[in-house]
Amino acid sequence: VLIYGGIFVIFYIFLSSLLKLAKKNLKKQRSILKHDQFYNQYGYSYELVLVYPVLTEDERSNLTNYQRKFSLKSAIDRIQNALLETKCFYSCQRDEIYIKIRGTTERLLKEAHRIEYKLLLDSQKIKIKLETGKKDFTIKHDKDYIHPNNGYKWAPVSIKDEHYVSPYDPHDFIYGPYKENSDLQNLYKAYRSENGFDWILKEVDRIKLLISILQAKPTENPPGAGLNIEELMERKVIYGAFPIHNYDMLSSLQSKWLSLTAPPSDQPIDDIKNYFGERIGLYFWYLQHYVESLTIPAVFGILVFLAQVFTNNSECVFQPYFALYMIIWNTIFIERWKQKQSTIAMKWGVVGFEQDEQDRPQFHGKKIISSINNKEFTYYPKKDFQFRSNIIKIALAVCIMIDIGVIALIYYIQTLAITSLSDKNIIKGFEPVQFITAVVNAIVIAIMDELFKLIVPFLNDFENHRTQTEYEDN
């Protein structure tokens, strides 16, 4: 007990020192930002960075046409023509060049209007707007004229949940595309930043809009940069693209989140989502649900363990009941998570987001014109996809059969060896055959695992998935 207690104390002190060091570094960064005029005006600064390699003379001579087209100078010109600001500097080793990118709030809102970016609406303002209605100021002043809607373009609407069917107000969690109309601006929910600014675009929204501007065509209005980030990385033009921390928000999130004594239910999930995005927020929500759901099984498991210790019997009478409980728990755990996941998707406005997701650069097919909206898109025949999918299923079945066959062979050899050497143990109480076969089995599992890691990405790429979500889900 003393040893475990000592380890816990040392670990606690180590984590506390790390938190203090992180807070100290954040304060330094915040003091630097406050000398930035852009930051003082908008409350944020550079939010995205592209990483270009510093090329040698030999590498410059061997560039592809695509790499020449999207060179460092070309990328900077394209970004600035898209009405974004840039700042370039070398890495410490001077082997990389970083292009930091930011855009004014006005530029980002124009992009939000162009792509009809969905934003959360303020529930109270929506309620007031509905109950007020909208007057029609183009009414004819002829005394005999009768307006078809009593003088309204649309009449007042009152929505009430009198029977409390839903735990949420009817006006909560409504998302709508951003429009530049002046009479709609006050309907979008505003967020008060840590430095006193009111934003309708959160940190993650601004980064998404920056990426949208970078990937939009230069012929758009307003113009985009025409830089497909995924394709630039795929063709080795850039090393990567990364969001830059907002130290005001990061400091606030750190104070709410990084506590060594807080229970899982105290995680600031919405703050995590607003800063890191829906994908990371959903991940930590799942972890919270998982840890909270394990509380009761952990208590039961400890009781079963104590019963085994006190009865000096590894096959405790409570074990079958505990196993039955875990089977039921597993079903309930999955179903409860499905319910929570649906609720989260509704709250965060990500229901059906896959429909608007862009194609992966690796996705290939034939460029055709859509008969629905007359826009060009990449078409890949369903029969070809199904054919590739069937090949992959056969390949995976073969891999699984090989794995089962190898393990069965090991245990068959073990059985033969134990039968023939049952009375010839080298050391009393030690069974070398079982030990050796266990080691061989572990080695085989490790080798098969590494082979599987090599095969799976190749098969996944071969299946030719359209979006990154489809690729990851598979």
Side-chain angles (χ1 to χ4, degrees), residues 1 14 21 71 74-75 88 103 119 133 144 169 188 216 222 271 278 308 349 396 398-399 404 433:
V1 175
F14 174 71
L21 182 62
S71 63
S74 173
C88 300
L119 294 174
D144 296 326
D169 187 87
Y188 300 105
D271 292 323
E278 292 83 5
Q308 290 175 334
L396 290 177
V398 171
C399 290
I404 293 174
V433 174

PDB file of all heavy atoms in Angstrom, residues 1 14 21 71 74-75 88 103 119 133 144 169 188 216 222 271 278 308 349 396 398-399 404 433:
ATOM      1  N   VAL A   1       0.834  -1.206   0.000  1.00  0.00           N
ATOM      2  CA  VAL A   1       0.000   0.000   0.000  1.00  0.00           C
ATOM      3  C   VAL A   1       0.870   1.258   0.000  1.00  0.00           C
ATOM      4  O   VAL A   1       0.584   2.235  -0.697  1.00  0.00           O
ATOM      5  CB  VAL A   1      -0.932  -0.004   1.228  1.00  0.00           C
ATOM      6  CG1 VAL A   1      -1.706   1.303   1.295  1.00  0.00           C
ATOM      7  CG2 VAL A   1      -1.888  -1.180   1.162  1.00  0.00           C
ATOM      8  N   PHE A  14       4.076  15.330 -10.386  1.00  0.00           N
ATOM      9  CA  PHE A  14       4.576  15.489 -11.756  1.00  0.00           C
ATOM     10  C   PHE A  14       3.537  16.161 -12.646  1.00  0.00           C
ATOM     11  O   PHE A  14       3.845  17.108 -13.388  1.00  0.00           O
ATOM     12  CB  PHE A  14       4.948  14.108 -12.313  1.00  0.00           C
ATOM     13  CG  PHE A  14       5.331  14.123 -13.761  1.00  0.00           C
ATOM     14  CD1 PHE A  14       6.520  14.688 -14.179  1.00  0.00           C
ATOM     15  CD2 PHE A  14       4.482  13.565 -14.714  1.00  0.00           C
ATOM     16  CE1 PHE A  14       6.874  14.710 -15.531  1.00  0.00           C
ATOM     17  CE2 PHE A  14       4.817  13.580 -16.053  1.00  0.00           C
ATOM     18  CZ  PHE A  14       6.029  14.159 -16.458  1.00  0.00           C
ATOM     19  N   LEU A  21       3.649  24.653 -15.590  1.00  0.00           N
ATOM     20  CA  LEU A  21       4.528  25.038 -16.695  1.00  0.00           C
ATOM     21  C   LEU A  21       3.715  25.451 -17.910  1.00  0.00           C
ATOM     22  O   LEU A  21       4.048  26.430 -18.601  1.00  0.00           O
ATOM     23  CB  LEU A  21       5.448  23.864 -17.039  1.00  0.00           C
ATOM     24  CG  LEU A  21       6.471  24.107 -18.157  1.00  0.00           C
ATOM     25  CD1 LEU A  21       7.430  25.219 -17.754  1.00  0.00           C
ATOM     26  CD2 LEU A  21       7.238  22.822 -18.459  1.00  0.00           C
ATOM     27  N   SER A  71       3.882  26.396 -56.209  1.00  0.00           N
ATOM     28  CA  SER A  71       5.104  26.701 -55.465  1.00  0.00           C
ATOM     29  C   SER A  71       4.801  27.651 -54.310  1.00  0.00           C
ATOM     30  O   SER A  71       3.680  28.172 -54.182  1.00  0.00           O
ATOM     31  CB  SER A  71       6.140  27.329 -56.392  1.00  0.00           C
ATOM     32  OG  SER A  71       5.646  28.570 -56.881  1.00  0.00           O
ATOM     33  N   SER A  74       3.717  31.070 -55.563  1.00  0.00           N
ATOM     34  CA  SER A  74       2.383  30.996 -56.146  1.00  0.00           C
ATOM     35  C   SER A  74       1.319  30.885 -55.063  1.00  0.00           C
ATOM     36  O   SER A  74       0.263  31.527 -55.151  1.00  0.00           O
ATOM     37  CB  SER A  74       2.307  29.797 -57.090  1.00  0.00           C
ATOM     38  OG  SER A  74       0.987  29.591 -57.543  1.00  0.00           O
ATOM     39  N   ALA A  75       1.589  30.081 -54.037  1.00  0.00           N
ATOM     40  CA  ALA A  75       0.616  29.902 -52.952  1.00  0.00           C
ATOM     41  C   ALA A  75       0.377  31.217 -52.213  1.00  0.00           C
ATOM     42  O   ALA A  75      -0.771  31.573 -51.912  1.00  0.00           O
ATOM     43  CB  ALA A  75       1.115  28.832 -51.986  1.00  0.00           C
ATOM     44  N   CYS A  88       5.226  34.845 -43.294  1.00  0.00           N
ATOM     45  CA  CYS A  88       6.110  33.702 -43.528  1.00  0.00           C
ATOM     46  C   CYS A  88       7.349  33.790 -42.631  1.00  0.00           C
ATOM     47  O   CYS A  88       7.855  34.880 -42.369  1.00  0.00           O
ATOM     48  CB  CYS A  88       6.553  33.661 -44.983  1.00  0.00           C
ATOM     49  SG  CYS A  88       5.198  33.514 -46.158  1.00  0.00           S
ATOM     50  N   GLY A 103      -7.821  35.825 -41.676  1.00  0.00           N
ATOM     51  CA  GLY A 103      -8.756  36.630 -42.460  1.00  0.00           C
ATOM     52  C   GLY A 103      -9.594  37.489 -41.538  1.00  0.00           C
ATOM     53  O   GLY A 103      -9.896  37.104 -40.399  1.00  0.00           O
ATOM     54  N   LEU A 119     -24.992  28.226 -38.960  1.00  0.00           N
ATOM     55  CA  LEU A 119     -24.653  28.769 -37.646  1.00  0.00           C
ATOM     56  C   LEU A 119     -25.834  28.580 -36.701  1.00  0.00           C
ATOM     57  O   LEU A 119     -26.995  28.531 -37.130  1.00  0.00           O
ATOM     58  CB  LEU A 119     -24.314  30.258 -37.750  1.00  0.00           C
ATOM     59  CG  LEU A 119     -23.043  30.617 -38.533  1.00  0.00           C
ATOM     60  CD1 LEU A 119     -22.932  32.130 -38.665  1.00  0.00           C
ATOM     61  CD2 LEU A 119     -21.803  30.049 -37.855  1.00  0.00           C
ATOM     62  N   GLY A 133     -43.688  38.354 -35.915  1.00  0.00           N
ATOM     63  CA  GLY A 133     -44.064  38.317 -37.320  1.00  0.00           C
ATOM     64  C   GLY A 133     -43.318  39.373 -38.118  1.00  0.00           C
ATOM     65  O   GLY A 133     -42.429  40.059 -37.604  1.00  0.00           O
ATOM     66  N   ASP A 144     -60.023  50.458 -50.271  1.00  0.00           N
ATOM     67  CA  ASP A 144     -60.789  49.253 -50.595  1.00  0.00           C
ATOM     68  C   ASP A 144     -59.918  48.013 -50.697  1.00  0.00           C
ATOM     69  O   ASP A 144     -60.438  46.897 -50.874  1.00  0.00           O
ATOM     70  CB  ASP A 144     -61.547  49.452 -51.925  1.00  0.00           C
ATOM     71  CG  ASP A 144     -62.586  50.567 -51.828  1.00  0.00           C
ATOM     72  OD1 ASP A 144     -63.160  50.718 -50.731  1.00  0.00           O
ATOM     73  OD2 ASP A 144     -62.794  51.275 -52.839  1.00  0.00           O
ATOM     74  N   ASP A 169     -36.481  23.302 -25.285  1.00  0.00           N
ATOM     75  CA  ASP A 169     -37.396  24.313 -25.790  1.00  0.00           C
ATOM     76  C   ASP A 169     -37.500  24.182 -27.313  1.00  0.00           C
ATOM     77  O   ASP A 169     -36.510  23.852 -27.978  1.00  0.00           O
ATOM     78  CB  ASP A 169     -36.865  25.703 -25.419  1.00  0.00           C
ATOM     79  CG  ASP A 169     -37.867  26.798 -25.771  1.00  0.00           C
ATOM     80  OD1 ASP A 169     -38.739  27.079 -24.947  1.00  0.00           O
ATOM     81  OD2 ASP A 169     -37.758  27.346 -26.888  1.00  0.00           O
ATOM     82  N   TYR A 188     -28.370  35.354 -35.124  1.00  0.00           N
ATOM     83  CA  TYR A 188     -27.311  34.372 -34.890  1.00  0.00           C
ATOM     84  C   TYR A 188     -26.776  34.498 -33.472  1.00  0.00           C
ATOM     85  O   TYR A 188     -26.601  35.601 -32.944  1.00  0.00           O
ATOM     86  CB  TYR A 188     -26.181  34.561 -35.901  1.00  0.00           C
ATOM     87  CG  TYR A 188     -26.635  34.391 -37.333  1.00  0.00           C
ATOM     88  CD1 TYR A 188     -26.809  35.497 -38.164  1.00  0.00           C
ATOM     89  CD2 TYR A 188     -26.919  33.128 -37.841  1.00  0.00           C
ATOM     90  CE1 TYR A 188     -27.245  35.344 -39.473  1.00  0.00           C
ATOM     91  CE2 TYR A 188     -27.355  32.967 -39.152  1.00  0.00           C
ATOM     92  CZ  TYR A 188     -27.520  34.081 -39.956  1.00  0.00           C
ATOM     93  OH  TYR A 188     -27.971  33.926 -41.247  1.00  0.00           O
ATOM     94  N   ALA A 216     -11.519  27.275 -52.371  1.00  0.00           N
ATOM     95  CA  ALA A 216     -12.453  27.816 -53.372  1.00  0.00           C
ATOM     96  C   ALA A 216     -11.698  28.249 -54.635  1.00  0.00           C
ATOM     97  O   ALA A 216     -10.511  28.579 -54.597  1.00  0.00           O
ATOM     98  CB  ALA A 216     -13.213  28.996 -52.784  1.00  0.00           C
ATOM     99  N   PRO A 222     -16.570  36.370 -53.420  1.00  0.00           N
ATOM    100  CA  PRO A 222     -15.193  36.816 -53.609  1.00  0.00           C
ATOM    101  C   PRO A 222     -14.257  35.657 -53.963  1.00  0.00           C
ATOM    102  O   PRO A 222     -14.606  34.499 -53.720  1.00  0.00           O
ATOM    103  CB  PRO A 222     -14.846  37.431 -52.250  1.00  0.00           C
ATOM    104  CG  PRO A 222     -15.746  36.769 -51.279  1.00  0.00           C
ATOM    105  CD  PRO A 222     -17.012  36.462 -52.002  1.00  0.00           C
ATOM    106  N   ASP A 271     -17.203  23.506 -24.676  1.00  0.00           N
ATOM    107  CA  ASP A 271     -16.004  24.330 -24.882  1.00  0.00           C
ATOM    108  C   ASP A 271     -14.966  23.571 -25.705  1.00  0.00           C
ATOM    109  O   ASP A 271     -14.283  24.149 -26.554  1.00  0.00           O
ATOM    110  CB  ASP A 271     -15.404  24.754 -23.538  1.00  0.00           C
ATOM    111  CG  ASP A 271     -16.300  25.725 -22.794  1.00  0.00           C
ATOM    112  OD1 ASP A 271     -16.928  26.566 -23.459  1.00  0.00           O
ATOM    113  OD2 ASP A 271     -16.388  25.637 -21.557  1.00  0.00           O
ATOM    114  N   GLU A 278     -16.049  19.377 -33.755  1.00  0.00           N
ATOM    115  CA  GLU A 278     -17.042  18.372 -33.365  1.00  0.00           C
ATOM    116  C   GLU A 278     -16.429  16.978 -33.228  1.00  0.00           C
ATOM    117  O   GLU A 278     -16.832  16.202 -32.354  1.00  0.00           O
ATOM    118  CB  GLU A 278     -18.172  18.326 -34.399  1.00  0.00           C
ATOM    119  CG  GLU A 278     -19.043  19.574 -34.430  1.00  0.00           C
ATOM    120  CD  GLU A 278     -18.459  20.698 -35.251  1.00  0.00           C
ATOM    121  OE1 GLU A 278     -17.399  20.479 -35.890  1.00  0.00           O
ATOM    122  OE2 GLU A 278     -19.050  21.800 -35.247  1.00  0.00           O
ATOM    123  N   GLN A 308     -13.226 -13.793  -4.329  1.00  0.00           N
ATOM    124  CA  GLN A 308     -12.230 -14.787  -4.723  1.00  0.00           C
ATOM    125  C   GLN A 308     -11.076 -14.838  -3.726  1.00  0.00           C
ATOM    126  O   GLN A 308     -10.562 -15.912  -3.398  1.00  0.00           O
ATOM    127  CB  GLN A 308     -11.698 -14.446  -6.130  1.00  0.00           C
ATOM    128  CG  GLN A 308     -12.703 -14.654  -7.243  1.00  0.00           C
ATOM    129  CD  GLN A 308     -12.165 -14.176  -8.585  1.00  0.00           C
ATOM    130  OE1 GLN A 308     -11.300 -13.305  -8.647  1.00  0.00           O
ATOM    131  NE2 GLN A 308     -12.688 -14.743  -9.655  1.00  0.00           N
ATOM    132  N   GLY A 349     -25.648  20.486 -34.507  1.00  0.00           N
ATOM    133  CA  GLY A 349     -25.968  20.815 -35.893  1.00  0.00           C
ATOM    134  C   GLY A 349     -25.176  20.046 -36.924  1.00  0.00           C
ATOM    135  O   GLY A 349     -24.862  20.580 -37.997  1.00  0.00           O
ATOM    136  N   LEU A 396      -9.864 -10.415 -46.941  1.00  0.00           N
ATOM    137  CA  LEU A 396      -9.936 -10.438 -45.479  1.00  0.00           C
ATOM    138  C   LEU A 396     -10.301 -11.829 -44.972  1.00  0.00           C
ATOM    139  O   LEU A 396      -9.760 -12.289 -43.949  1.00  0.00           O
ATOM    140  CB  LEU A 396     -10.965  -9.419 -44.992  1.00  0.00           C
ATOM    141  CG  LEU A 396     -10.588  -7.946 -45.156  1.00  0.00           C
ATOM    142  CD1 LEU A 396     -11.733  -7.053 -44.699  1.00  0.00           C
ATOM    143  CD2 LEU A 396      -9.334  -7.625 -44.344  1.00  0.00           C
ATOM    144  N   VAL A 398      -9.558 -14.655 -46.393  1.00  0.00           N
ATOM    145  CA  VAL A 398      -8.353 -15.478 -46.535  1.00  0.00           C
ATOM    146  C   VAL A 398      -7.377 -15.197 -45.396  1.00  0.00           C
ATOM    147  O   VAL A 398      -6.804 -16.123 -44.806  1.00  0.00           O
ATOM    148  CB  VAL A 398      -7.684 -15.220 -47.900  1.00  0.00           C
ATOM    149  CG1 VAL A 398      -6.310 -15.890 -47.970  1.00  0.00           C
ATOM    150  CG2 VAL A 398      -8.564 -15.728 -49.031  1.00  0.00           C
ATOM    151  N   CYS A 399      -7.189 -13.910 -45.061  1.00  0.00           N
ATOM    152  CA  CYS A 399      -6.283 -13.541 -43.961  1.00  0.00           C
ATOM    153  C   CYS A 399      -6.760 -14.142 -42.641  1.00  0.00           C
ATOM    154  O   CYS A 399      -5.957 -14.653 -41.849  1.00  0.00           O
ATOM    155  CB  CYS A 399      -6.197 -12.021 -43.847  1.00  0.00           C
ATOM    156  SG  CYS A 399      -5.327 -11.228 -45.211  1.00  0.00           S
ATOM    157  N   ILE A 404      -6.391 -18.217 -38.300  1.00  0.00           N
ATOM    158  CA  ILE A 404      -6.998 -19.315 -37.529  1.00  0.00           C
ATOM    159  C   ILE A 404      -6.204 -20.610 -37.739  1.00  0.00           C
ATOM    160  O   ILE A 404      -5.955 -21.362 -36.791  1.00  0.00           O
ATOM    161  CB  ILE A 404      -8.468 -19.505 -37.943  1.00  0.00           C
ATOM    162  CG1 ILE A 404      -9.297 -18.284 -37.517  1.00  0.00           C
ATOM    163  CG2 ILE A 404      -9.046 -20.771 -37.326  1.00  0.00           C
ATOM    164  CD1 ILE A 404     -10.726 -18.311 -38.019  1.00  0.00           C
ATOM    165  N   VAL A 433       6.771 -27.156 -22.608  1.00  0.00           N
ATOM    166  CA  VAL A 433       6.021 -27.180 -23.860  1.00  0.00           C
ATOM    167  C   VAL A 433       4.982 -26.062 -23.890  1.00  0.00           C
ATOM    168  O   VAL A 433       4.863 -25.317 -24.869  1.00  0.00           O
ATOM    169  CB  VAL A 433       5.352 -28.564 -24.051  1.00  0.00           C
ATOM    170  CG1 VAL A 433       4.450 -28.526 -25.287  1.00  0.00           C
ATOM    171  CG2 VAL A 433       6.402 -29.643 -24.195  1.00  0.00           C
TER     172      VAL A 433
END
